[in-house]
Amino acid sequence: MIYISERLTNLSELESAIDAAAQAGEELRRKIKSARAPIDQIDTLASDLCGQLQRLKNFELCVERRKTVYPDANSDRP
């Protein structure tokens, strides 16, 4: 009997990137609401957020495929 399993090997990397982009978006939103925030800080945050979102747009999931062979019950092999 052959059993084939697949799993995503870099899903946690994607989740971390999404979390970082969400945090950057929240920080940007707070800075924009603050009338005292310097425009260069807002620009840097916006640029960072755009970069993170571009990386997410181009993210490729890695699928690992494993093939396990179990001997048949009728087979003489162990």
Side-chain angles (χ1 to χ4, degrees), residues 1-66:
M1 178 163 79
I2 297 174
Y3 178 74
I4 297 175
S5 63
E6 295 180 338
R7 71 182 185 106
L8 298 172
T9 59
N10 63 340
L11 189 57
S12 63
E13 186 180 332
L14 176 60
E15 291 169 337
S16 293
I18 291 170
D19 186 50
Q23 288 178 9
E26 282 299 311
E27 181 65 21
L28 179 59
R29 193 173 66 76
R30 281 192 295 275
K31 292 289 183 181
I32 289 172
K33 280 187 171 183
S34 167
R36 295 178 295 273
I39 193 70
D40 59 328
Q41 283 184 1
I42 293 172
D43 185 54
T44 299
L45 287 169
S47 179
D48 290 348
L49 180 57
C50 288
Q52 291 170 351
L53 292 173
Q54 187 64 37
R55 283 190 293 281
L56 286 169
K57 180 181 172 188
N58 297 324
F59 191 86
E60 291 186 22
L61 292 170
C62 295
V63 178
E64 177 184 82
R65 175 177 260 183
R66 292 183 181 181

Side-chain angles (χ1 to χ4, degrees), residues 62-77:
C62 295
V63 178
E64 177 184 82
R65 175 177 260 183
R66 292 183 181 181
K67 181 179 176 181
T68 306
V69 179
Y70 295 102
D72 269 344
N74 299 331
S75 174
D76 292 336
R77 290 184 267 165

